[in-house]
PDB file of all heavy atoms in Angstrom:
ATOM      1  N   LEU A 233     187.400  99.740  50.454  1.00  0.00           N
ATOM      2  CA  LEU A 233     188.593 100.165  50.965  1.00  0.00           C
ATOM      3  C   LEU A 233     188.923  99.572  52.376  1.00  0.00           C
ATOM      4  O   LEU A 233     190.123  99.304  52.673  1.00  0.00           O
ATOM      5  CB  LEU A 233     188.675 101.700  50.983  1.00  0.00           C
ATOM      6  CG  LEU A 233     188.732 102.355  49.623  1.00  0.00           C
ATOM      7  CD1 LEU A 233     188.632 103.923  49.847  1.00  0.00           C
ATOM      8  CD2 LEU A 233     189.857 101.987  48.802  1.00  0.00           C
ATOM      9  N   ALA A 234     187.928  99.441  53.155  1.00  0.00           N
ATOM     10  CA  ALA A 234     188.057  98.820  54.491  1.00  0.00           C
ATOM     11  C   ALA A 234     188.465  97.394  54.321  1.00  0.00           C
ATOM     12  O   ALA A 234     189.299  96.910  55.140  1.00  0.00           O
ATOM     13  CB  ALA A 234     186.753  98.942  55.294  1.00  0.00           C
ATOM     14  N   VAL A 235     187.862  96.625  53.488  1.00  0.00           N
ATOM     15  CA  VAL A 235     188.260  95.233  53.206  1.00  0.00           C
ATOM     16  C   VAL A 235     189.662  95.157  52.780  1.00  0.00           C
ATOM     17  O   VAL A 235     190.458  94.290  53.248  1.00  0.00           O
ATOM     18  CB  VAL A 235     187.356  94.601  52.253  1.00  0.00           C
ATOM     19  CG1 VAL A 235     187.750  93.160  51.908  1.00  0.00           C
ATOM     20  CG2 VAL A 235     185.911  94.478  52.753  1.00  0.00           C
ATOM     21  N   ILE A 236     190.074  96.043  51.881  1.00  0.00           N
ATOM     22  CA  ILE A 236     191.511  96.039  51.430  1.00  0.00           C
ATOM     23  C   ILE A 236     192.438  96.291  52.648  1.00  0.00           C
ATOM     24  O   ILE A 236     193.402  95.578  52.782  1.00  0.00           O
ATOM     25  CB  ILE A 236     191.695  97.088  50.297  1.00  0.00           C
ATOM     26  CG1 ILE A 236     191.028  96.698  49.108  1.00  0.00           C
ATOM     27  CG2 ILE A 236     193.194  97.352  50.125  1.00  0.00           C
ATOM     28  CD1 ILE A 236     190.870  97.820  48.034  1.00  0.00           C
ATOM     29  N   SER A 237     192.056  97.232  53.480  1.00  0.00           N
ATOM     30  CA  SER A 237     192.949  97.538  54.611  1.00  0.00           C
ATOM     31  C   SER A 237     193.039  96.348  55.617  1.00  0.00           C
ATOM     32  O   SER A 237     194.086  96.052  56.135  1.00  0.00           O
ATOM     33  CB  SER A 237     192.384  98.782  55.318  1.00  0.00           C
ATOM     34  OG  SER A 237     193.168  99.126  56.453  1.00  0.00           O
ATOM     35  N   GLU A 238     191.853  95.689  55.857  1.00  0.00           N
ATOM     36  CA  GLU A 238     191.815  94.722  56.901  1.00  0.00           C
ATOM     37  C   GLU A 238     192.293  93.357  56.404  1.00  0.00           C
ATOM     38  O   GLU A 238     192.965  92.598  57.121  1.00  0.00           O
ATOM     39  CB  GLU A 238     190.397  94.634  57.479  1.00  0.00           C
ATOM     40  CG  GLU A 238     190.264  93.518  58.539  1.00  0.00           C
ATOM     41  CD  GLU A 238     188.871  93.521  59.136  1.00  0.00           C
ATOM     42  OE1 GLU A 238     187.991  94.358  58.792  1.00  0.00           O
ATOM     43  OE2 GLU A 238     188.497  92.560  59.898  1.00  0.00           O
ATOM     44  N   HIS A 239     191.813  92.948  55.180  1.00  0.00           N
ATOM     45  CA  HIS A 239     192.028  91.576  54.758  1.00  0.00           C
ATOM     46  C   HIS A 239     193.180  91.430  53.778  1.00  0.00           C
ATOM     47  O   HIS A 239     193.535  90.297  53.428  1.00  0.00           O
ATOM     48  CB  HIS A 239     190.714  91.035  54.189  1.00  0.00           C
ATOM     49  CG  HIS A 239     189.648  90.819  55.101  1.00  0.00           C
ATOM     50  ND1 HIS A 239     189.559  89.743  55.917  1.00  0.00           N
ATOM     51  CD2 HIS A 239     188.587  91.722  55.482  1.00  0.00           C
ATOM     52  CE1 HIS A 239     188.479  89.901  56.698  1.00  0.00           C
ATOM     53  NE2 HIS A 239     187.890  91.034  56.466  1.00  0.00           N
ATOM     54  N   ARG A 240     193.761  92.479  53.281  1.00  0.00           N
ATOM     55  CA  ARG A 240     194.916  92.483  52.403  1.00  0.00           C
ATOM     56  C   ARG A 240     194.721  91.504  51.206  1.00  0.00           C
ATOM     57  O   ARG A 240     195.480  90.523  51.053  1.00  0.00           O
ATOM     58  CB  ARG A 240     196.144  92.045  53.226  1.00  0.00           C
ATOM     59  CG  ARG A 240     196.355  92.876  54.451  1.00  0.00           C
ATOM     60  CD  ARG A 240     196.739  94.297  54.185  1.00  0.00           C
ATOM     61  NE  ARG A 240     198.092  94.406  53.571  1.00  0.00           N
ATOM     62  CZ  ARG A 240     198.544  95.390  52.829  1.00  0.00           C
ATOM     63  NH1 ARG A 240     197.709  96.312  52.463  1.00  0.00           N
ATOM     64  NH2 ARG A 240     199.754  95.396  52.376  1.00  0.00           N
ATOM     65  N   PRO A 241     193.777  91.721  50.333  1.00  0.00           N
ATOM     66  CA  PRO A 241     193.566  90.897  49.216  1.00  0.00           C
ATOM     67  C   PRO A 241     194.797  90.889  48.256  1.00  0.00           C
ATOM     68  O   PRO A 241     195.506  91.855  48.193  1.00  0.00           O
ATOM     69  CB  PRO A 241     192.337  91.377  48.524  1.00  0.00           C
ATOM     70  CG  PRO A 241     192.235  92.853  49.007  1.00  0.00           C
ATOM     71  CD  PRO A 241     192.823  92.858  50.361  1.00  0.00           C
ATOM     72  N   THR A 242     194.945  89.846  47.530  1.00  0.00           N
ATOM     73  CA  THR A 242     196.062  89.765  46.551  1.00  0.00           C
ATOM     74  C   THR A 242     195.557  89.964  45.139  1.00  0.00           C
ATOM     75  O   THR A 242     196.310  90.348  44.232  1.00  0.00           O
ATOM     76  CB  THR A 242     196.648  88.357  46.557  1.00  0.00           C
ATOM     77  OG1 THR A 242     195.682  87.283  46.252  1.00  0.00           O
ATOM     78  CG2 THR A 242     197.285  88.069  47.980  1.00  0.00           C
ATOM     79  N   THR A 243     194.247  89.793  44.833  1.00  0.00           N
ATOM     80  CA  THR A 243     193.681  89.939  43.557  1.00  0.00           C
ATOM     81  C   THR A 243     192.293  90.534  43.610  1.00  0.00           C
ATOM     82  O   THR A 243     191.569  90.414  44.621  1.00  0.00           O
ATOM     83  CB  THR A 243     193.571  88.591  42.693  1.00  0.00           C
ATOM     84  OG1 THR A 243     192.650  87.748  43.419  1.00  0.00           O
ATOM     85  CG2 THR A 243     194.962  87.907  42.687  1.00  0.00           C
ATOM     86  N   THR A 244     191.921  91.214  42.505  1.00  0.00           N
ATOM     87  CA  THR A 244     190.508  91.696  42.368  1.00  0.00           C
ATOM     88  C   THR A 244     190.284  91.905  40.938  1.00  0.00           C
ATOM     89  O   THR A 244     191.188  92.059  40.079  1.00  0.00           O
ATOM     90  CB  THR A 244     190.252  92.926  43.250  1.00  0.00           C
ATOM     91  OG1 THR A 244     188.794  93.123  43.257  1.00  0.00           O
ATOM     92  CG2 THR A 244     190.854  94.220  42.631  1.00  0.00           C
ATOM     93  N   PHE A 245     188.979  91.975  40.607  1.00  0.00           N
ATOM     94  CA  PHE A 245     188.540  92.369  39.248  1.00  0.00           C
ATOM     95  C   PHE A 245     187.668  93.573  39.409  1.00  0.00           C
ATOM     96  O   PHE A 245     186.748  93.611  40.272  1.00  0.00           O
ATOM     97  CB  PHE A 245     187.795  91.258  38.579  1.00  0.00           C
ATOM     98  CG  PHE A 245     186.989  91.747  37.377  1.00  0.00           C
ATOM     99  CD1 PHE A 245     187.621  91.927  36.182  1.00  0.00           C
ATOM    100  CD2 PHE A 245     185.619  92.048  37.417  1.00  0.00           C
ATOM    101  CE1 PHE A 245     186.931  92.406  35.044  1.00  0.00           C
ATOM    102  CE2 PHE A 245     184.960  92.506  36.344  1.00  0.00           C
ATOM    103  CZ  PHE A 245     185.603  92.720  35.097  1.00  0.00           C
ATOM    104  N   CYS A 246     187.810  94.600  38.549  1.00  0.00           N
ATOM    105  CA  CYS A 246     186.919  95.800  38.599  1.00  0.00           C
ATOM    106  C   CYS A 246     186.567  96.233  37.151  1.00  0.00           C
ATOM    107  O   CYS A 246     187.246  95.921  36.258  1.00  0.00           O
ATOM    108  CB  CYS A 246     187.717  96.995  39.205  1.00  0.00           C
ATOM    109  SG  CYS A 246     188.068  96.874  40.964  1.00  0.00           S
ATOM    110  N   VAL A 247     185.517  96.999  37.124  1.00  0.00           N
ATOM    111  CA  VAL A 247     185.289  97.765  35.851  1.00  0.00           C
ATOM    112  C   VAL A 247     185.688  99.194  36.131  1.00  0.00           C
ATOM    113  O   VAL A 247     185.839  99.618  37.324  1.00  0.00           O
ATOM    114  CB  VAL A 247     183.787  97.739  35.519  1.00  0.00           C
ATOM    115  CG1 VAL A 247     183.327  96.279  35.157  1.00  0.00           C
ATOM    116  CG2 VAL A 247     182.888  98.296  36.606  1.00  0.00           C
ATOM    117  N   PRO A 248     186.056  99.934  35.088  1.00  0.00           N
ATOM    118  CA  PRO A 248     186.567 101.300  35.308  1.00  0.00           C
ATOM    119  C   PRO A 248     185.661 102.254  36.197  1.00  0.00           C
ATOM    120  O   PRO A 248     186.226 103.041  36.857  1.00  0.00           O
ATOM    121  CB  PRO A 248     186.694 101.821  33.814  1.00  0.00           C
ATOM    122  CG  PRO A 248     187.041 100.570  33.027  1.00  0.00           C
ATOM    123  CD  PRO A 248     186.196  99.535  33.649  1.00  0.00           C
ATOM    124  N   THR A 249     184.349 102.070  36.057  1.00  0.00           N
ATOM    125  CA  THR A 249     183.419 102.867  36.885  1.00  0.00           C
ATOM    126  C   THR A 249     183.761 102.635  38.368  1.00  0.00           C
ATOM    127  O   THR A 249     183.815 103.577  39.198  1.00  0.00           O
ATOM    128  CB  THR A 249     181.951 102.501  36.647  1.00  0.00           C
ATOM    129  OG1 THR A 249     181.669 102.778  35.217  1.00  0.00           O
ATOM    130  CG2 THR A 249     181.043 103.282  37.535  1.00  0.00           C
ATOM    131  N   GLN A 250     183.993 101.394  38.786  1.00  0.00           N
ATOM    132  CA  GLN A 250     184.345 101.108  40.220  1.00  0.00           C
ATOM    133  C   GLN A 250     185.704 101.707  40.556  1.00  0.00           C
ATOM    134  O   GLN A 250     185.828 102.241  41.627  1.00  0.00           O
ATOM    135  CB  GLN A 250     184.391  99.629  40.389  1.00  0.00           C
ATOM    136  CG  GLN A 250     183.001  98.945  40.318  1.00  0.00           C
ATOM    137  CD  GLN A 250     183.072  97.431  40.306  1.00  0.00           C
ATOM    138  OE1 GLN A 250     183.958  96.870  39.747  1.00  0.00           O
ATOM    139  NE2 GLN A 250     182.106  96.802  40.942  1.00  0.00           N
ATOM    140  N   LEU A 251     186.659 101.654  39.599  1.00  0.00           N
ATOM    141  CA  LEU A 251     187.974 102.198  39.903  1.00  0.00           C
ATOM    142  C   LEU A 251     187.929 103.716  40.089  1.00  0.00           C
ATOM    143  O   LEU A 251     188.480 104.288  40.947  1.00  0.00           O
ATOM    144  CB  LEU A 251     188.958 101.874  38.691  1.00  0.00           C
ATOM    145  CG  LEU A 251     189.302 100.426  38.665  1.00  0.00           C
ATOM    146  CD1 LEU A 251     190.027 100.167  37.353  1.00  0.00           C
ATOM    147  CD2 LEU A 251     190.198 100.025  39.816  1.00  0.00           C
ATOM    148  N   ARG A 252     187.081 104.338  39.292  1.00  0.00           N
ATOM    149  CA  ARG A 252     186.937 105.769  39.402  1.00  0.00           C
ATOM    150  C   ARG A 252     186.361 106.150  40.756  1.00  0.00           C
ATOM    151  O   ARG A 252     186.770 107.100  41.414  1.00  0.00           O
ATOM    152  CB  ARG A 252     185.951 106.300  38.240  1.00  0.00           C
ATOM    153  CG  ARG A 252     185.813 107.777  38.287  1.00  0.00           C
ATOM    154  CD  ARG A 252     184.826 108.222  37.115  1.00  0.00           C
ATOM    155  NE  ARG A 252     185.409 108.062  35.853  1.00  0.00           N
ATOM    156  CZ  ARG A 252     185.125 107.135  34.992  1.00  0.00           C
ATOM    157  NH1 ARG A 252     184.192 106.197  35.246  1.00  0.00           N
ATOM    158  NH2 ARG A 252     185.726 107.055  33.807  1.00  0.00           N
ATOM    159  N   ARG A 253     185.300 105.396  41.259  1.00  0.00           N
ATOM    160  CA  ARG A 253     184.815 105.658  42.483  1.00  0.00           C
ATOM    161  C   ARG A 253     185.696 105.366  43.692  1.00  0.00           C
ATOM    162  O   ARG A 253     185.657 106.112  44.663  1.00  0.00           O
ATOM    163  CB  ARG A 253     183.424 104.857  42.635  1.00  0.00           C
ATOM    164  CG  ARG A 253     182.285 105.261  41.705  1.00  0.00           C
ATOM    165  CD  ARG A 253     181.089 104.398  41.929  1.00  0.00           C
ATOM    166  NE  ARG A 253     180.510 104.629  43.239  1.00  0.00           N
ATOM    167  CZ  ARG A 253     179.564 103.891  43.796  1.00  0.00           C
ATOM    168  NH1 ARG A 253     179.074 102.783  43.144  1.00  0.00           N
ATOM    169  NH2 ARG A 253     179.131 104.080  45.014  1.00  0.00           N
ATOM    170  N   LEU A 254     186.487 104.315  43.505  1.00  0.00           N
ATOM    171  CA  LEU A 254     187.458 104.014  44.606  1.00  0.00           C
ATOM    172  C   LEU A 254     188.486 105.146  44.704  1.00  0.00           C
ATOM    173  O   LEU A 254     188.788 105.570  45.869  1.00  0.00           O
ATOM    174  CB  LEU A 254     188.198 102.755  44.222  1.00  0.00           C
ATOM    175  CG  LEU A 254     187.443 101.384  44.508  1.00  0.00           C
ATOM    176  CD1 LEU A 254     188.321 100.280  43.988  1.00  0.00           C
ATOM    177  CD2 LEU A 254     187.170 101.145  45.949  1.00  0.00           C
ATOM    178  N   LEU A 255     188.958 105.597  43.624  1.00  0.00           N
ATOM    179  CA  LEU A 255     189.972 106.681  43.626  1.00  0.00           C
ATOM    180  C   LEU A 255     189.423 107.983  44.084  1.00  0.00           C
ATOM    181  O   LEU A 255     190.159 108.871  44.609  1.00  0.00           O
ATOM    182  CB  LEU A 255     190.619 106.814  42.315  1.00  0.00           C
ATOM    183  CG  LEU A 255     191.480 105.649  41.768  1.00  0.00           C
ATOM    184  CD1 LEU A 255     192.078 105.968  40.417  1.00  0.00           C
ATOM    185  CD2 LEU A 255     192.621 105.385  42.780  1.00  0.00           C
ATOM    186  N   ALA A 256     188.116 108.214  43.952  1.00  0.00           N
ATOM    187  CA  ALA A 256     187.467 109.432  44.347  1.00  0.00           C
ATOM    188  C   ALA A 256     186.962 109.512  45.752  1.00  0.00           C
ATOM    189  O   ALA A 256     186.571 110.539  46.302  1.00  0.00           O
ATOM    190  CB  ALA A 256     186.279 109.781  43.374  1.00  0.00           C
ATOM    191  N   THR A 257     187.037 108.328  46.492  1.00  0.00           N
ATOM    192  CA  THR A 257     186.457 108.232  47.757  1.00  0.00           C
ATOM    193  C   THR A 257     187.284 108.949  48.846  1.00  0.00           C
ATOM    194  O   THR A 257     186.719 109.474  49.777  1.00  0.00           O
ATOM    195  CB  THR A 257     186.308 106.755  48.108  1.00  0.00           C
ATOM    196  OG1 THR A 257     185.441 106.149  47.267  1.00  0.00           O
ATOM    197  CG2 THR A 257     185.733 106.529  49.553  1.00  0.00           C
ATOM    198  N   GLY A 258     188.615 108.964  48.703  1.00  0.00           N
ATOM    199  CA  GLY A 258     189.417 109.610  49.720  1.00  0.00           C
ATOM    200  C   GLY A 258     190.725 108.874  49.779  1.00  0.00           C
ATOM    201  O   GLY A 258     191.167 108.205  48.881  1.00  0.00           O
ATOM    202  N   PRO A 259     191.448 108.986  50.930  1.00  0.00           N
ATOM    203  CA  PRO A 259     192.776 108.415  51.055  1.00  0.00           C
ATOM    204  C   PRO A 259     192.641 106.881  50.834  1.00  0.00           C
ATOM    205  O   PRO A 259     191.748 106.207  51.366  1.00  0.00           O
ATOM    206  CB  PRO A 259     193.143 108.748  52.506  1.00  0.00           C
ATOM    207  CG  PRO A 259     192.275 109.888  52.915  1.00  0.00           C
ATOM    208  CD  PRO A 259     191.047 109.778  52.136  1.00  0.00           C
ATOM    209  N   LEU A 260     193.612 106.395  50.137  1.00  0.00           N
ATOM    210  CA  LEU A 260     193.647 104.919  49.938  1.00  0.00           C
ATOM    211  C   LEU A 260     194.491 104.172  50.992  1.00  0.00           C
ATOM    212  O   LEU A 260     195.482 104.727  51.413  1.00  0.00           O
ATOM    213  CB  LEU A 260     194.253 104.650  48.549  1.00  0.00           C
ATOM    214  CG  LEU A 260     193.530 105.143  47.321  1.00  0.00           C
ATOM    215  CD1 LEU A 260     194.367 104.880  46.086  1.00  0.00           C
ATOM    216  CD2 LEU A 260     192.148 104.486  47.230  1.00  0.00           C
ATOM    217  N   PRO A 261     194.047 102.989  51.376  1.00  0.00           N
ATOM    218  CA  PRO A 261     194.940 102.189  52.297  1.00  0.00           C
ATOM    219  C   PRO A 261     196.118 101.738  51.489  1.00  0.00           C
ATOM    220  O   PRO A 261     196.205 101.910  50.269  1.00  0.00           O
ATOM    221  CB  PRO A 261     194.061 101.129  52.719  1.00  0.00           C
ATOM    222  CG  PRO A 261     193.052 100.954  51.599  1.00  0.00           C
ATOM    223  CD  PRO A 261     192.854 102.289  51.010  1.00  0.00           C
ATOM    224  N   SER A 262     197.001 101.043  52.133  1.00  0.00           N
ATOM    225  CA  SER A 262     198.167 100.415  51.424  1.00  0.00           C
ATOM    226  C   SER A 262     197.542  99.427  50.484  1.00  0.00           C
ATOM    227  O   SER A 262     196.740  98.590  50.777  1.00  0.00           O
ATOM    228  CB  SER A 262     199.102  99.750  52.421  1.00  0.00           C
ATOM    229  OG  SER A 262     200.067  98.958  51.693  1.00  0.00           O
ATOM    230  N   LEU A 263     198.106  99.454  49.222  1.00  0.00           N
ATOM    231  CA  LEU A 263     197.685  98.501  48.258  1.00  0.00           C
ATOM    232  C   LEU A 263     198.738  97.555  47.936  1.00  0.00           C
ATOM    233  O   LEU A 263     198.722  96.798  46.881  1.00  0.00           O
ATOM    234  CB  LEU A 263     197.368  99.286  46.915  1.00  0.00           C
ATOM    235  CG  LEU A 263     196.252 100.376  47.077  1.00  0.00           C
ATOM    236  CD1 LEU A 263     196.141 101.149  45.830  1.00  0.00           C
ATOM    237  CD2 LEU A 263     194.940  99.823  47.468  1.00  0.00           C
ATOM    238  N   SER A 264     199.776  97.375  48.803  1.00  0.00           N
ATOM    239  CA  SER A 264     200.920  96.606  48.546  1.00  0.00           C
ATOM    240  C   SER A 264     200.699  95.084  48.479  1.00  0.00           C
ATOM    241  O   SER A 264     201.525  94.307  48.052  1.00  0.00           O
ATOM    242  CB  SER A 264     202.054  96.905  49.544  1.00  0.00           C
ATOM    243  OG  SER A 264     201.583  96.598  50.864  1.00  0.00           O
ATOM    244  N   SER A 265     199.470  94.670  49.021  1.00  0.00           N
ATOM    245  CA  SER A 265     199.193  93.229  49.066  1.00  0.00           C
ATOM    246  C   SER A 265     198.876  92.700  47.629  1.00  0.00           C
ATOM    247  O   SER A 265     198.903  91.478  47.406  1.00  0.00           O
ATOM    248  CB  SER A 265     198.035  92.900  49.990  1.00  0.00           C
ATOM    249  OG  SER A 265     196.790  93.590  49.610  1.00  0.00           O
ATOM    250  N   PHE A 266     198.416  93.605  46.719  1.00  0.00           N
ATOM    251  CA  PHE A 266     197.881  93.190  45.440  1.00  0.00           C
ATOM    252  C   PHE A 266     199.064  92.685  44.604  1.00  0.00           C
ATOM    253  O   PHE A 266     200.033  93.372  44.427  1.00  0.00           O
ATOM    254  CB  PHE A 266     197.159  94.258  44.751  1.00  0.00           C
ATOM    255  CG  PHE A 266     195.745  94.507  45.324  1.00  0.00           C
ATOM    256  CD1 PHE A 266     195.528  95.494  46.133  1.00  0.00           C
ATOM    257  CD2 PHE A 266     194.759  93.694  44.872  1.00  0.00           C
ATOM    258  CE1 PHE A 266     194.203  95.746  46.715  1.00  0.00           C
ATOM    259  CE2 PHE A 266     193.428  93.931  45.325  1.00  0.00           C
ATOM    260  CZ  PHE A 266     193.176  94.907  46.247  1.00  0.00           C
ATOM    261  N   ARG A 267     198.814  91.568  43.945  1.00  0.00           N
ATOM    262  CA  ARG A 267     199.625  91.094  42.854  1.00  0.00           C
ATOM    263  C   ARG A 267     198.914  91.215  41.457  1.00  0.00           C
ATOM    264  O   ARG A 267     199.524  91.258  40.383  1.00  0.00           O
ATOM    265  CB  ARG A 267     200.086  89.635  43.012  1.00  0.00           C
ATOM    266  CG  ARG A 267     198.949  88.645  42.937  1.00  0.00           C
ATOM    267  CD  ARG A 267     199.483  87.214  42.719  1.00  0.00           C
ATOM    268  NE  ARG A 267     198.462  86.256  42.446  1.00  0.00           N
ATOM    269  CZ  ARG A 267     197.897  86.005  41.271  1.00  0.00           C
ATOM    270  NH1 ARG A 267     198.278  86.707  40.202  1.00  0.00           N
ATOM    271  NH2 ARG A 267     196.947  85.117  41.206  1.00  0.00           N
ATOM    272  N   LEU A 268     197.556  91.407  41.547  1.00  0.00           N
ATOM    273  CA  LEU A 268     196.795  91.525  40.286  1.00  0.00           C
ATOM    274  C   LEU A 268     195.526  92.354  40.548  1.00  0.00           C
ATOM    275  O   LEU A 268     194.776  92.054  41.414  1.00  0.00           O
ATOM    276  CB  LEU A 268     196.381  90.106  39.783  1.00  0.00           C
ATOM    277  CG  LEU A 268     195.389  90.125  38.552  1.00  0.00           C
ATOM    278  CD1 LEU A 268     196.034  90.663  37.343  1.00  0.00           C
ATOM    279  CD2 LEU A 268     194.833  88.746  38.328  1.00  0.00           C
ATOM    280  N   LEU A 269     195.381  93.410  39.747  1.00  0.00           N
ATOM    281  CA  LEU A 269     194.149  94.090  39.560  1.00  0.00           C
ATOM    282  C   LEU A 269     193.804  94.017  38.123  1.00  0.00           C
ATOM    283  O   LEU A 269     194.468  94.602  37.214  1.00  0.00           O
ATOM    284  CB  LEU A 269     194.258  95.524  40.011  1.00  0.00           C
ATOM    285  CG  LEU A 269     192.878  96.333  39.879  1.00  0.00           C
ATOM    286  CD1 LEU A 269     192.754  97.338  41.012  1.00  0.00           C
ATOM    287  CD2 LEU A 269     192.776  97.001  38.571  1.00  0.00           C
ATOM    288  N   ALA A 270     192.782  93.227  37.801  1.00  0.00           N
ATOM    289  CA  ALA A 270     192.364  93.033  36.442  1.00  0.00           C
ATOM    290  C   ALA A 270     191.131  93.934  36.132  1.00  0.00           C
ATOM    291  O   ALA A 270     190.257  94.017  37.024  1.00  0.00           O
ATOM    292  CB  ALA A 270     192.010  91.577  36.113  1.00  0.00           C
ATOM    293  N   HIS A 271     191.118  94.585  35.020  1.00  0.00           N
ATOM    294  CA  HIS A 271     189.937  95.450  34.655  1.00  0.00           C
ATOM    295  C   HIS A 271     189.473  95.134  33.292  1.00  0.00           C
ATOM    296  O   HIS A 271     190.264  94.840  32.404  1.00  0.00           O
ATOM    297  CB  HIS A 271     190.150  96.899  34.960  1.00  0.00           C
ATOM    298  CG  HIS A 271     191.109  97.520  34.020  1.00  0.00           C
ATOM    299  ND1 HIS A 271     190.707  98.167  32.822  1.00  0.00           N
ATOM    300  CD2 HIS A 271     192.433  97.810  34.079  1.00  0.00           C
ATOM    301  CE1 HIS A 271     191.751  98.668  32.200  1.00  0.00           C
ATOM    302  NE2 HIS A 271     192.769  98.456  32.915  1.00  0.00           N
ATOM    303  N   ALA A 272     188.176  95.296  33.055  1.00  0.00           N
ATOM    304  CA  ALA A 272     187.609  95.049  31.724  1.00  0.00           C
ATOM    305  C   ALA A 272     186.145  95.591  31.803  1.00  0.00           C
ATOM    306  O   ALA A 272     185.739  96.182  32.793  1.00  0.00           O
ATOM    307  CB  ALA A 272     187.570  93.584  31.373  1.00  0.00           C
ATOM    308  N   GLY A 273     185.356  95.204  30.874  1.00  0.00           N
ATOM    309  CA  GLY A 273     183.940  95.541  30.888  1.00  0.00           C
ATOM    310  C   GLY A 273     183.524  96.740  30.080  1.00  0.00           C
ATOM    311  O   GLY A 273     182.394  96.808  29.613  1.00  0.00           O
ATOM    312  N   GLU A 274     184.389  97.728  29.958  1.00  0.00           N
ATOM    313  CA  GLU A 274     184.146  98.924  29.266  1.00  0.00           C
ATOM    314  C   GLU A 274     185.570  99.562  29.033  1.00  0.00           C
ATOM    315  O   GLU A 274     186.504  99.273  29.772  1.00  0.00           O
ATOM    316  CB  GLU A 274     183.218  99.906  30.008  1.00  0.00           C
ATOM    317  CG  GLU A 274     183.771 100.316  31.400  1.00  0.00           C
ATOM    318  CD  GLU A 274     182.845 101.248  32.081  1.00  0.00           C
ATOM    319  OE1 GLU A 274     182.059 101.942  31.409  1.00  0.00           O
ATOM    320  OE2 GLU A 274     182.966 101.377  33.351  1.00  0.00           O
ATOM    321  N   PRO A 275     185.664 100.503  28.058  1.00  0.00           N
ATOM    322  CA  PRO A 275     186.861 101.174  27.829  1.00  0.00           C
ATOM    323  C   PRO A 275     187.384 101.949  29.068  1.00  0.00           C
ATOM    324  O   PRO A 275     186.471 102.596  29.809  1.00  0.00           O
ATOM    325  CB  PRO A 275     186.611 102.129  26.625  1.00  0.00           C
ATOM    326  CG  PRO A 275     185.509 101.443  25.945  1.00  0.00           C
ATOM    327  CD  PRO A 275     184.687 100.844  27.051  1.00  0.00           C
ATOM    328  N   CYS A 276     188.636 101.934  29.372  1.00  0.00           N
ATOM    329  CA  CYS A 276     189.126 102.715  30.528  1.00  0.00           C
ATOM    330  C   CYS A 276     189.827 103.952  29.949  1.00  0.00           C
ATOM    331  O   CYS A 276     190.888 103.853  29.265  1.00  0.00           O
ATOM    332  CB  CYS A 276     190.127 101.876  31.319  1.00  0.00           C
ATOM    333  SG  CYS A 276     190.597 102.649  32.834  1.00  0.00           S
ATOM    334  N   PRO A 277     189.250 105.168  30.252  1.00  0.00           N
ATOM    335  CA  PRO A 277     189.890 106.370  29.783  1.00  0.00           C
ATOM    336  C   PRO A 277     191.375 106.494  30.229  1.00  0.00           C
ATOM    337  O   PRO A 277     191.735 106.093  31.356  1.00  0.00           O
ATOM    338  CB  PRO A 277     189.092 107.532  30.371  1.00  0.00           C
ATOM    339  CG  PRO A 277     187.734 106.883  30.677  1.00  0.00           C
ATOM    340  CD  PRO A 277     188.028 105.432  31.064  1.00  0.00           C
ATOM    341  N   ALA A 278     192.211 106.952  29.360  1.00  0.00           N
ATOM    342  CA  ALA A 278     193.638 107.063  29.612  1.00  0.00           C
ATOM    343  C   ALA A 278     193.967 107.827  30.920  1.00  0.00           C
ATOM    344  O   ALA A 278     194.812 107.341  31.744  1.00  0.00           O
ATOM    345  CB  ALA A 278     194.412 107.623  28.459  1.00  0.00           C
TER     346      ALA A 278
END
C-alpha cells in the first residue's frame, strides 16, 4: 500500500489471497493510477 501511495503504479498482478489481505489491512490509498489489476492463480470468491 505504501508503494501504491508513493509510486502510483499503473498495473499489477495479484492472486485473490493477496487481494484479501490488501483489503483487510486498513484504509486504502488512492488507486486512481491503476489502469489494470489482473488476477488469477485460484478462484476468486464472488
Side-chain angles (χ1 to χ4, degrees):
L233 293 177
V235 175
I236 291 170
S237 178
E238 180 178 351
H239 293 278
R240 309 290 291 156
T242 61
T243 65
T244 193
F245 165 82
C246 291
V247 296
T249 298
Q250 293 170 322
L251 292 169
R252 184 181 289 106
R253 292 181 64 191
L254 283 174
L255 294 178
T257 298
L260 296 174
S262 170
L263 304 174
S264 62
S265 63
F266 282 98
R267 68 165 185 83
L268 172 67
L269 181 145
H271 71 88
E274 60 177 337
C276 188

